[in-house]
Every structure is written in C-alpha cells, then in structure tokens.
Amino acid sequence: MVQYRRNRVAGGSYFFTVALNDRGARWLVDEVGYLRSAIRAVKRERPFRLDAMVILPDHLHAVWTLPPDDEDYAARWQMIKARFSRALRANGARLWRNDEGEYDLWQRRYWEHTIRNEADLRNHVDYLHYNPVKHGWVSRVDQWPYSTFHRYISAGIYPRSWSGESVAHDGKGYGE
C-alpha cells in the first residue's frame, strides 16, 4: 500500500479539497444541511476554525486553522465524512459499500496544503471563493449560496462586486 505523507503542523492552517467518488453527483449541495450539521458536530468535539469554505455539488474546498497543540485534521475529515454518510443513509439514500466495507460515497483521499504565509492564505481563499464561477455554476461569485464569500462581504474583506479576475484561477497548485 502507498504511504501518503502529510505535512502536519500543530496550530497550522490548511487548504483542503475533498471530493465525492462520483464527480457528477450533487449530494453536497442537495443535502447541504447534513453536511453543515456534520461539520458543526465535529467542531464541537474537535475544535478548529473554519476560515473559508465553498461547497460545490461533488466537492468542497476549505481552509481550516487548528488549535495550537493539535495537528490532527485527518481525524476531523474522517468524522465529517462518516457523519454525512450516516445522515444520508438514515434518510433513505442508497449508498453502496466498497470492498473494504466502507460507504463508497467519498473519494478515499483528499488534497491538503499547509498554508505558508498571508499571501498563500489569501490566494487559496480567493481560489476557493472563485471556484463556483470556474466550474460554471454561476457567473458571479456572489451568486453561489454555499460559500463563506458572503461572510467575507459582511466583514468588509471583499466588496460584493469582487469576482477574482485579478487572481490566476487555472487550478494549478490548488488540489483539483
């Protein structure tokens, strides 16, 4: 089995791309309430700061900051994925099990990047907020409802008219 090396920094900030196995599925937006509930529950049990996030139909991007003495983002993702999958099953979704007995909803791995500095953070937050436009779901960033972009507008970080054109959003180096 391949051994994946993950960079772990206690108290670090990380950018993630987490995807469903079926990249044509819409589970994440169709059942966004279950996903939000799973994230809230895990944050209560294993605190972290959700700095930015965008939820698309078949994948999501997030930036988290962990507590100063904690580097275990992997357990948090495992818990979020499991809670979301169980919620779907409990509400009638037909999910299949893979050869290992796991629900075959999520891609097994995810992409993680340790944020290095403020410029790196800004680039990744811009990228994730622009992602619904990149994928053709909307023509303007503020049209996508499943994004922390709206929180950033309220905080005065972005103007409502921000679209990210000045940022190169070709996907290189961002985990897709």
Side-chain angles (χ1 to χ4, degrees):
M1 173 182 254
V2 175
Q3 292 295 319
Y4 289 89
R5 289 183 176 236
R6 300 255 187 218
N7 190 31
R8 297 180 186 275
V9 177
S13 295
Y14 301 90
F15 170 85
F16 301 99
T17 299
V18 181
L20 298 178
N21 267 331
D22 179 357
R23 290 302 295 256
R26 294 187 46 89
W27 289 111
L28 297 179
V29 294
D30 288 351
E31 304 296 348
V32 71
Y34 296 138
L35 181 60
R36 287 176 174 157
S37 292
I39 292 167
R40 278 192 303 270
V42 171
K43 280 180 71 177
R44 280 192 302 272
E45 292 175 32
R46 305 280 308 264
F48 63 93
R49 187 177 70 225
L50 179 61
D51 298 308
M53 186 171 200
V54 66
I55 302 167
L56 296 153
D58 61 357
H59 72 285
L60 62 84
H61 299 288
V63 175
W64 294 356
T65 299
L66 298 181
D69 59 344
D70 194 340
E71 61 185 35
D72 194 3
Y73 52 79
R76 290 167 172 87
W77 277 120
Q78 182 179 21
M79 293 166 69
I80 290 167
K81 288 176 167 185
R83 284 177 185 270
F84 182 72
S85 299
R86 281 195 303 271
L88 290 180
R89 289 273 303 169
N91 288 283
R94 294 180 58 103
L95 302 178
W96 308 106
R97 292 191 184 268
N98 61 23
D99 294 338
E100 288 79 33
E102 303 162 330
Y103 291 121
D104 207 16
L105 178 66
W106 297 96
Q107 285 184 1
R108 238 173 171 206
R109 305 286 180 216
Y110 51 87
W111 197 81
E112 150 269 322
H113 166 80
T114 305
I115 301 295
R116 293 183 206 69
N117 54 42
E118 286 298 318
D120 193 32
L121 174 62
R122 191 172 39 259
N123 287 338
H124 282 83
V125 170
D126 286 352
Y127 173 81
L128 74 79
H129 285 145
Y130 187 76
N131 216 248
V133 175
K134 175 187 170 205
H135 287 286
W137 292 106
V138 292
S139 59
R140 290 189 341 260
V141 175
D142 67 337
Q143 295 172 324
W144 191 250
Y146 313 110
S147 173
T148 55
F149 180 73
H150 307 285
R151 184 174 83 191
Y152 277 58
I153 290 171
S154 296
I157 297 168
Y158 289 132
R160 180 169 298 285
S161 61
W162 183 90
S163 63
E165 287 111 356
S166 64
V167 179
H169 297 292
D170 61 3
K172 292 182 177 135
Y174 291 105
E176 280 196 54

